[in-house]
C-alpha cells in the first residue's frame, strides 16, 4: 500500500506540474482527477501550487539519479520532519507538512517530495522525467515495467520515431 500510494502521488505530482503552466481550471482538474476535493482555487492558492510545481520541476529535469536526489533533498529540506497523523477518517499515515490543514502549496510540495523519495528508494531511478520529444516539456513518472521511459505519451513517442525515420530518408 505504501508504494502504491507513492506511485499515485507521483502521478498527481507530474499532472499538477504540467497543469501549472496552463489555466486555473486545468490546475483544479488535475487535482480533482486524483481525488482531491477542489471546485475552485483562489488566486493565492493557484500561486502557491504554481510555486510548488516550480520547486519540484528540477527533480524531473535532472540528468542522473544523483542529481535528482540532490534536487529532491533541497525540496525535502524545506519540509517539516515526518509525523504520523490520522484525520478525516483516514488510517494513520505520514505527513511532512505543518498541519492537517496546510495550504495547497505546502501540502503539494511536501506530499509530492515524500512520494518521490519513496519511489527513489524503491526503484533506485529518478522518479520523474521530462519528455524528450522535440517541442514537448511535459513531466511524467519514470517508473514503469520494462525499459525506462523517455516520452510523456505514446503520441510523443510515435511523433519522435516518425521524425527520426524521415530525417534518415
Amino acid at each position: 500500500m505504501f508504494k502504491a500510494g507513492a506511485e499515485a502521488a507521483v502521478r498527481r505530482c507530474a499532472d499538477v506540474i504540467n497543469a501549472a503552466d496552463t489555466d486555473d481550471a486545468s490546475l483544479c482538474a488535475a487535482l480533482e482527477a486524483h481525488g482531491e476535493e477542489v471546485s475552485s482555487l483562489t488566486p493565492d492558492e493557484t500561486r502557491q501550487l504554481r510555486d510548488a510545481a516550480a520547486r519540484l520541476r528540477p527533480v524531473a529535469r535532472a540528468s542522473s539519479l544523483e542529481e535528482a536526489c540532490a534536487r529532491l533533498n533541497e525540496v525535502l529540506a524545506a519540509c517539516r520532519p515526518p509525523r504520523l497523523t490520522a484525520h478525516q477518517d483516514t488510517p494513520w499515515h505520514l505527513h511532512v507538512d505543518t498541519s492537517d490543514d496546510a495550504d495547497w502549496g505546502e501540502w503539494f510540495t511536501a506530499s509530492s517530495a515524500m512520494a518521490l523519495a519513496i519511489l527513489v528508494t524503491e526503484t533506485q531511478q529518478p522518479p520523474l522525467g521530462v519528455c524528450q520529444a522535440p517541442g514537448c516539456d511535459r513531466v511524467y513518472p519514470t517508473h514503469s515495467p520494462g525499459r525506462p521511459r523517455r516520452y510523456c505519451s505514446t503520441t510523443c513517442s510515435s511523433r519522435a520515431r516518425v521524425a527520426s525515420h524521415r530525417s534518415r530518408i
Side-chain angles (χ1 to χ4, degrees):
M1 182 171 132
F2 203 54
K3 183 178 174 190
E7 288 172 344
V10 168
R11 285 190 300 275
R12 179 191 65 218
C13 177
D15 289 347
V16 171
I17 289 172
N18 292 327
D21 294 335
T22 62
D23 59 23
D24 293 358
S26 296
L27 199 51
C28 286
L31 290 166
E32 288 173 342
H34 292 278
E36 300 304 325
E37 294 179 22
V38 53
S39 56
S40 66
L41 295 167
T42 67
D44 188 49
E45 291 168 333
T46 57
R47 180 194 50 76
Q48 293 167 5
L49 282 165
R50 286 187 170 96
D51 290 348
R55 283 190 296 277
L56 290 160
R57 190 176 270 279
V59 177
R61 287 194 172 127
S63 60
S64 67
L65 176 59
E66 291 73 21
E67 183 184 351
C69 289
R71 301 294 79 79
L72 186 52
N73 278 334
E74 291 170 3
V75 175
L76 285 166
C79 296
R80 305 288 186 199
R83 65 185 171 83
L84 289 167
T85 185
H87 54 93
Q88 299 173 355
D89 301 322
T90 63
W92 285 97
H93 58 281
L94 285 171
H95 268 242
V96 288
D97 50 17
T98 56
S99 68
D100 293 343
D101 58 350
D103 66 45
W104 280 103
E106 182 182 8
W107 164 80
F108 177 69
T109 301
S111 62
S112 296
M114 186 166 57
L116 293 167
I118 290 167
L119 278 192
V120 165
T121 62
E122 290 284 329
T123 66
Q124 296 299 300
Q125 297 175 10
L128 296 172
V130 177
C131 187
Q132 294 179 14
C136 184
D137 68 347
R138 292 183 55 79
V139 171
Y140 61 89
T142 56
H143 180 70
S144 65
R147 297 183 331 164
R149 289 179 60 182
R150 296 183 349 181
Y151 303 101
C152 68
S153 66
T154 55
T155 301
C156 278
S157 174
S158 295
R159 190 173 40 228
R161 189 174 54 251
V162 168
S164 175
H165 174 75
R166 287 184 178 156
S167 72
R168 291 188 304 260
I169 300 178

